[in-house]
């Protein structure tokens, strides 16, 4: 069972209170971008075995979107953080490094 | 290979079963093969089989990180049907369904194909319209299905509760030639036939890297050493993203667990397969008497082969509404498999950005039914670089916006 803490309202709850929203930190590509960029933005996914960054919504709570760093193999949650960020906070990255020295995910490490 | 037959059973009975031979060999990997398939699930093994049988390519190794059939092929609820909506889907699923009718004879291995009929319940007006449309599409595709009345549903499934409480049964899409088969036997039968053609089925051999030179594949690194090849087929279902990364590209795929459970064995009570998409549950009875029950997928990426508990709860709740008698059943086992889901709920059978690497994935929650057809088409693609069955399922369909939308036909996980 997955337990997440919403960084917006501070509530800690079981996964049925939340809604998973797919991969986080996708860079938007719109008009003027190349076909490859637009294709990757829409379809290409990391889908990693291990560290993953994803979007969640506190659907049955405050209703806000936030981001989570989670391990898709152990289901360990490294931390949750506000959606208004371009990069995971350092303390979450440190926690991941303690488990997976040398990890990378897109441009993060 | 010694053939299995009634005569062989009698002969072995007389000599204390001392004459059975191993169904397939466990060879050491060679340094090089003409073609390597990663993944000894049904799709990988069927691909190898038709490479040999239809295209004369027998210098083939099938590399499997665990045991053959230990992925989704040995974890599914074995529903076989071909009542999809779009023409390219009908072509490949119906090819598969029709091959299932003769596969036991072809492989000399009893896969216990049982065309007992599959019914998909319509429990909302929206579903009624959706399935009537599918029945019309199927008529044009030459796939025999019909939309049946609630009375006919009750006649076929006496244990069903038609009146709700939440969602009364308003009818069903019925495919009489659909059914089930023994999932392990499909993997075992193909493996035995591949081994008999001189192919190498190599278990406990995980691919850890893919070698290329000048944009072209040259071989793979494995836990049992490097192996060269001219052509490489990636057929690893839920692990597709992981293996594609080794080759340097990403896929439009997310991996999530899909769960199933079986009950204690009971006397025969239901001789068709029933799927209830609105309440999300489906059920059939195995030859052993267990009720085989399929549930839903997790909403988030997950490689644990377990799945979240609340999905089991939802499925069981739905089934108790539809089949009140199951509330008294004890469940024996529950498990999950990692399924590879695409945005349009259709598979990918395609060339890739790397020359001579081909990928067969994206079957998601419903690829057991497709194994023979997928193997048939994908083998042709690997042998000739072009295959009519696979044409519409290329990776470029995402870039070009040519989706094969099966989100209705595949609405429930199966
Ligand atoms: C619970 C459940 C119920 C289902 N019910 C149905 C159903 O009723 N009807 C239906 O049609 N479909 C159903 N499906 C879907 C169906 O099981 C799959 O689509 C199908 O079995 C996929 O077959 P495959 O050969 O592609 O994959 P798999 O059988 O998963 O085989 C892939 C193999 O690749 C191996 N592998 C992975 N990575 C590596 C590596 N790096 N090196 C070497 N080997 C590797 C794995 O170990 C695995 O054995 C269900 C699935 C699940 C999980
Ligand atoms: Zn909240």
């Amino acid at each position: 069972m997955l337990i997440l803490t919403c960084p917006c309202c501070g509530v800690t709850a079981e996964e049925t209170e939340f809604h998973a929203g797919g991969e986080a930190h996708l860079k938007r590509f719109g008009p003027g971008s190349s076909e490859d960029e637009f294709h990757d933005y829409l379809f290409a996914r990391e889908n990693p075995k291990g560290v993953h960054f994803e979007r969640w919504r506190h659907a049955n709570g405050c209703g806000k979107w936030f981001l989570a760093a989670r391990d898709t193999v152990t289901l360990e949650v490294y931390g949750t953080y506000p959606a208004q960020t371009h990069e995971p906070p350092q303390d979450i990255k440190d926690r991941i490094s303690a488990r997976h020295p040398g990890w990378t995910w897109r441009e993060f490490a | 290979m010694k053939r299995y037959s009634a005569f062989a059973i009698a002969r072995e009975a007389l000599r204390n079963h001392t004459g059975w031979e191993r169904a397939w060999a466990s060879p050491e990997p060679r340094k090089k093969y003409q073609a390597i398939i990663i993944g000894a699930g049904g799709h990988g093994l069927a691909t190898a089989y038709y490479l040999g049988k239809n295209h004369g390519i027998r210098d083939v190794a099938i590399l499997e990180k665990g045991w053959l059939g230990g992925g989704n092929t040995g974890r599914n609820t074995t529903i076989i049907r071909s009542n999809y909506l779009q023409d390219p889907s009908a072509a490949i699923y119906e090819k598969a369904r029709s091959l299932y009718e003769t596969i036991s004879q072809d492989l000399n291995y009893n896969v216990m194909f049982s065309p007992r009929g599959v019914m998909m319940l319509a429990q909302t007006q929206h579903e009624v319209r959706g399935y009537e449309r599918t029945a019309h599409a199927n008529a044009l595709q030459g796939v025999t299905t019909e939309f049946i009345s609630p009375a006919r549903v009750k006649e076929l499934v006496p244990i069903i509760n038609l009146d709700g409480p939440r969602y009364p049964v308003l009818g069903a899409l019925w495919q009489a030639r659909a059914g089930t088969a023994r999932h392990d036997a499909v993997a075992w039968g193909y493996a035995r036939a591949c081994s008999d053609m001189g192919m190498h089925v190599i278990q406990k051999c995980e691919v850890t890297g893919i070698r290329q030179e000048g944009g072209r594949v040259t071989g793979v690194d494995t836990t049992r050493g490097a192996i060269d090849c001219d052509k490489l087929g990636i057929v690893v279902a839920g692990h597709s993203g992981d293996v594609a990364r080794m080759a340097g590209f990403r896929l439009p795929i997310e991996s999530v667990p899909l769960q199933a459970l079986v009950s204690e064995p009971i006397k025969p009570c239901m001789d068709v397969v029933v799927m209830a998409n609105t309440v999300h549950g489906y059920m059939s009875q195995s030859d052993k008497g267990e009720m085989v029950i399929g549930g839903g997928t997790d909403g988030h990426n997950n490689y644990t082969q377990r799945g979240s508990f609340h999905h089991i709860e939802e499925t069981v709740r739905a089934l108790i509404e539809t089949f009140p008698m199951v509330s008294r059943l004890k469940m024996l086992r529950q498990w999950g498999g990692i399924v590879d889901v695409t945005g349009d709920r259709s598979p990918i059978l395609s060339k890739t950005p790397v020359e001579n690497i081909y990928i067969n994935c994206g079957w998601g929650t419903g690829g057991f039914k497709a194994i023979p057809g997928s193997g048939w088409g994908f083998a042709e693609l690997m042998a000739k670089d072009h295959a009519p069955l696979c044409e519409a399922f290329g990776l470029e369909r995402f870039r070009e916006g040519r989706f094969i939308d099966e989100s209705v036909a595949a609405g429930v996980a199966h």
Side-chain angles (χ1 to χ4, degrees):
Chain A
M1 183 181 298
L2 202 55
I3 294 178
L4 296 170
T5 300
C6 172
C8 307
C9 67
V11 164
T12 297
E14 184 267 341
E15 66 179 282
T16 54
E17 189 156 316
F18 301 94
H19 182 80
E23 190 168 319
H25 299 296
L26 286 176
K27 184 161 182 285
R28 276 171 201 281
F29 284 97
S33 57
S34 73
E35 301 239 311
D36 280 342
E37 287 168 336
F38 192 55
H39 168 269
D40 284 3
Y41 160 59
L42 282 178
F43 302 112
R45 292 295 174 262
E46 290 297 309
N47 192 19
K49 229 185 250 187
V51 182
H52 197 29
F53 297 92
E54 48 192 19
R55 303 166 74 226
W56 285 83
R57 195 169 88 87
H58 193 181
N60 295 329
C62 70
K64 299 234 168 66
W65 285 96
F66 63 93
L67 306 184
R70 196 174 57 87
D71 196 308
T72 62
V73 175
T74 62
L75 301 192
E76 178 173 2
V77 179
Y78 298 112
T80 53
Y81 52 102
Q84 295 74 14
T85 35
H86 293 292
E87 203 174 320
Q90 193 58 43
D91 61 313
I92 290 181
K93 291 206 259 181
D94 291 344
R95 234 168 283 146
I96 298 172
S97 298
R99 280 269 190 277
H100 300 278
W103 65 279
T104 61
W105 187 93
R106 290 197 188 244
E107 68 269 28
F108 307 144
Chain B
M1 177 175 85
K2 283 192 195 155
R3 288 183 64 79
Y4 295 147
S5 62
F7 171 74
I9 293 174
R11 183 190 64 213
E12 293 306 326
L14 293 176
R15 55 178 187 188
N16 289 324
H17 297 281
T18 51
W20 298 116
E21 51 183 24
R22 282 188 176 277
W24 52 81
S26 295
E28 282 301 311
R30 279 201 295 268
K31 284 271 162 285
K32 173 164 198 248
Y33 297 89
Q34 189 178 350
I36 288 180
I37 308 284
I38 312 177
H43 289 265
L45 290 161
T47 301
Y49 176 71
Y50 294 113
L51 270 176
K53 189 179 174 212
N54 294 354
H55 305 285
I57 300 175
R58 296 183 175 193
D59 181 16
V60 177
I62 306 113
L63 309 181
E64 167 55 51
K65 76 180 162 93
W67 65 95
L68 74 89
N72 295 343
T73 299
R75 293 166 183 272
N76 70 81
T77 47
T78 79
I79 298 171
I80 295 168
R81 60 183 180 88
S82 59
N83 51 354
Y84 282 70
L85 181 62
Q86 311 292 350
D87 293 349
S89 320
I92 198 162
Y93 287 108
E94 176 60 14
K95 173 77 183 169
R97 196 206 54 77
S98 62
L99 283 171
Y100 265 121
E101 294 199 331
T102 52
I103 201 85
S104 295
Q105 289 75 17
D106 185 23
L107 297 177
N108 179 235
Y109 202 98
N110 186 4
V111 306
M112 298 164 72
F113 177 56
S114 159
R116 60 183 65 184
V118 171
M119 126 184 352
M120 298 164 83
L121 300 180
Q123 293 173 284
T124 61
Q125 281 304 331
H126 183 75
E127 261 186 319
V128 170
R129 280 195 294 271
Y131 287 148
E132 281 179 339
R133 178 183 177 205
T134 305
H136 293 315
N138 291 159
L140 292 173
Q141 292 153 348
V143 176
T144 311
T145 61
E146 58 181 312
F147 191 80
I148 58 174
S149 67
R152 178 92 176 107
V153 169
K154 185 77 184 171
E155 200 179 301
L156 287 161
V157 191
I159 65 171
I160 206 166
N161 171 21
L162 290 180
D163 324 313
R166 282 189 298 169
Y167 297 106
V169 174
L170 305 173
L173 182 64
W174 170 243
Q175 186 177 15
R177 300 297 296 167
T180 60
R182 169 96 199 270
H183 50 7
D184 300 316
V186 172
W188 296 340
Y190 276 120
R192 175 167 170 265
C194 288
S195 187
D196 184 52
M197 283 191 274
M199 296 180 179
H200 283 184
V201 183
I202 303 170
Q203 306 183 63
K204 294 191 206 152
C205 179
E206 177 168 359
V207 171
T208 53
I210 293 178
R211 296 161 176 243
Q212 29 182 304
E213 241 175 64
R216 190 191 181 97
V217 69
T218 59
V220 293
D221 294 316
T222 77
T223 46
R224 295 174 68 173
I227 310 175
D228 292 341
C229 65
D230 299 330
K231 292 196 175 189
L232 181 67
I234 301 175
V235 198
V236 294
H239 304 275
S240 297
D242 205 40
V243 176
R245 193 171 1 262
M246 296 175 198
F249 56 91
R250 285 184 296 167
L251 292 170
I253 281 194
E254 305 274 18
S255 295
V256 291
L258 172 65
Q259 301 182 66
L261 56 161
V262 294
S263 75
E264 59 190 334
I266 55 174
K267 287 193 174 167
C269 66
M270 192 176 85
D271 61 1
V272 301
V273 180
V274 180
M275 311 178 41
N277 294 2
T278 292
V279 293
H280 214 126
Y282 52 102
M283 188 161 87
S284 63
Q285 189 167 25
S286 75
D287 292 343
K288 279 187 282 183
E290 303 155 325
M291 302 312 288
V292 181
I293 295 168
T297 53
D298 280 7
H300 52 273
N301 302 43
N302 182 340
Y303 284 88
T304 60
Q305 295 204 132
R306 256 198 322 270
S308 298
F309 180 74
H310 66 268
H311 286 296
I312 290 285
E313 199 180 351
E314 275 165 24
T315 299
V316 171
R317 191 167 55 214
L319 284 175
I320 289 174
E321 280 181 20
T322 318
F323 307 98
M325 65 167 263
V326 305
S327 70
R328 301 295 181 89
L329 273 184
K330 290 191 184 69
M331 293 300 150
L332 283 191
R333 295 188 300 283
Q334 170 273 343
W335 66 91
I338 307 302
V339 297
D340 41 336
V341 182
T342 57
D344 60 1
R345 299 293 185 274
S346 286
I348 294 167
L349 297 115
S350 184
K351 296 188 206 175
T352 69
V354 184
E355 208 180 324
N356 286 353
I357 297 186
Y358 305 80
I359 192 158
N360 178 346
C361 64
W363 292 100
T365 59
F368 173 71
K369 62 178 71 65
I371 285 172
S374 150
W376 186 284
F378 194 58
E380 187 172 355
L381 183 69
M382 284 189 70
K384 298 186 178 165
D385 265 355
H386 175 80
L389 274 181
C390 303
E391 207 157 40
F393 295 102
L395 269 172
E396 64 288 348
R397 76 171 185 268
F398 295 94
R399 179 183 307 266
E400 294 166 6
R402 284 188 294 101
F403 309 115
I404 306 168
D405 186 356
E406 290 294 357
S407 48
V408 174
V412 73
H414 37 77

